[in-house]
Amino acid sequence: MIFVGNWKAYIESPQKAKALFASAKRLAGRKGVRIILAPSAPHVGLLAPGNRSKVSFALQDISNSTGGAETGEVTAAAAFGIGARYVILGHSERRARGESDQIIFSKVQHTLAHGMTPVLCIGERERDSDAQYLQFIRAQLAAVFSGLTPQERIKIIVAYEPIWAIGLHASDAIAPGDLAEMILYIRKVLGDYMSSNQILYGGSVEPGNVRMLAAGSGVDGFLIGHASVDVQNFTALVKAVS
Ligand code: PGA
């Protein structure tokens, strides 16, 4: 199982970042567990250089520029240089700030060009009774997959994160049956691109629901927000399914 800890902007102190990394290292030794931490960019720069543990690092986003006169941007090359090997792209909290499918596609290309793995977030804002949300998911996948070669497509990790389930509590997460259906649907859409990818679920994953969400849903792991920035919660969560 893959566990991506999306620390968002929850962690601001270097001491707290180091403590979370230390506990993640202990968990990463468990059989069948792959841990990827996504701290803020400065904290990736603090923790990733010289890292020889089994924990990998992700950036929460990168620039769609390739450098130069771009104040405030963090390029894919800079991310790779400090030790990031994954990049979360298209998170709904980035899309909410105006990021288009086109921008996300170019970020995916930059990420791949620098030998890193994109963790591509997709997810509908709400569920409607005539299942329009399925077309929405298909379009989000098409916006990225249609422009890539088969060799590039296969490298992407897809994270299904319905916006209505993000940042709440275990009881607000998707129902396991609905998750299983959606994972099947995503696999079918990816099949149209001849691609078979690892798929994560994200949205209010906590120690109390992770086992239920893992069982029979077909997910390869989880993208975890608030529960990943608490040592006890993250530890309990990983242990619950490994
Ligand atoms: P959450 O966030 O676990 O706090 O719901 C998940 C995410 O947005 O990646």
Coordinates of all heavy atoms in Angstrom, one line a residue, residues 6 8 91 93 161 165-167 203-205 223-226, ligand 1:
N6 N 0.0 14.3 2.6 CA -0.1 15.6 2.1 C -0.2 16.6 3.3 O -1.2 16.8 3.9 CB -1.3 15.8 1.2 CG -1.4 17.2 0.6 OD1 -0.5 18.0 0.8 ND2 -2.5 17.4 0.0
K8 N 0.0 19.7 3.4 CA -0.6 21.0 3.0 C 0.2 22.1 3.7 O 1.5 22.0 3.7 CB -2.1 21.0 3.4 CG -2.8 19.8 2.8 CD -4.3 19.9 2.9 CE -5.0 18.7 2.3 NZ -6.4 18.8 2.2
H91 N -4.2 19.1 -7.4 CA -4.9 19.0 -6.2 C -6.1 20.0 -6.3 O -5.9 21.1 -6.8 CB -4.1 19.3 -5.0 CG -4.8 18.9 -3.7 ND1 -5.7 19.7 -3.1 CD2 -4.7 17.8 -2.9 CE1 -6.2 19.1 -2.0 NE2 -5.6 18.0 -1.9
E93 N -7.2 22.0 -4.2 CA -6.9 23.2 -3.5 C -6.0 24.1 -4.4 O -6.0 25.3 -4.3 CB -6.3 23.0 -2.1 CG -7.3 22.5 -1.2 CD -6.8 21.6 0.0 OE1 -5.6 21.6 0.3 OE2 -7.6 20.9 0.6
E161 N -9.8 12.0 -5.5 CA -10.2 12.8 -4.3 C -11.4 13.6 -4.5 O -11.4 14.7 -5.0 CB -9.0 13.8 -4.0 CG -7.7 13.1 -3.6 CD -7.0 14.1 -2.6 OE1 -6.7 15.2 -3.0 OE2 -6.6 13.6 -1.5
A165 N -15.5 15.3 -0.1 CA -15.1 14.4 1.0 C -13.7 14.9 1.6 O -13.2 14.2 2.5 CB -14.9 13.0 0.5
I166 N -13.2 16.0 1.2 CA -11.9 16.4 1.6 C -12.0 17.3 2.9 O -12.8 18.1 3.0 CB -11.1 17.2 0.6 CG1 -10.8 16.3 -0.6 CG2 -9.9 17.9 1.1 CD1 -10.0 17.0 -1.8
G167 N -11.1 17.0 3.9 CA -11.0 17.8 5.0 C -12.0 17.7 6.1 O -12.2 18.5 7.0
G203 N -9.4 11.8 0.9 CA -10.6 12.6 1.3 C -11.1 12.0 2.6 O -11.8 11.0 2.7
S204 N -10.7 12.6 3.7 CA -11.1 12.2 5.1 C -10.7 10.8 5.4 O -11.5 10.1 6.1 CB -12.6 12.5 5.3 OG -12.8 13.9 5.2
V205 N -9.5 10.4 5.0 CA -9.0 9.1 5.4 C -8.4 9.2 6.8 O -7.6 10.1 7.1 CB -7.9 8.5 4.5 CG1 -7.4 7.2 4.9 CG2 -8.5 8.5 3.0
L223 N -4.1 9.0 -0.2 CA -3.5 10.3 -0.1 C -4.2 11.0 1.1 O -5.4 11.1 1.1 CB -3.8 11.1 -1.4 CG -3.4 12.6 -1.5 CD1 -1.9 12.7 -1.1 CD2 -3.5 13.1 -3.0
I224 N -3.4 11.2 2.1 CA -3.9 11.6 3.4 C -3.5 13.0 3.8 O -2.3 13.4 3.8 CB -3.4 10.6 4.4 CG1 -3.7 9.2 4.0 CG2 -3.9 10.9 5.8 CD1 -2.5 8.2 4.2
G225 N -4.5 13.8 4.1 CA -4.3 15.2 4.5 C -4.1 15.3 6.0 O -3.1 15.0 6.6
H226 N -5.2 15.8 6.7 CA -5.1 16.2 8.1 C -4.6 15.0 9.0 O -3.9 15.3 9.9 CB -6.4 16.7 8.6 CG -7.5 15.8 8.6 ND1 -8.4 15.6 7.5 CD2 -8.0 15.0 9.6 CE1 -9.3 14.7 7.8 NE2 -9.1 14.3 9.0
Ligands
PGA1 P1 -7.9 15.2 4.0 O1 -7.2 15.7 2.8 O2 -7.3 13.8 4.3 O3 -7.6 16.2 5.1 O4 -9.4 15.1 3.7 C1 -6.9 14.9 1.7 C2 -6.3 15.8 0.6 O5 -6.8 16.9 0.3 O6 -5.3 15.4 0.0

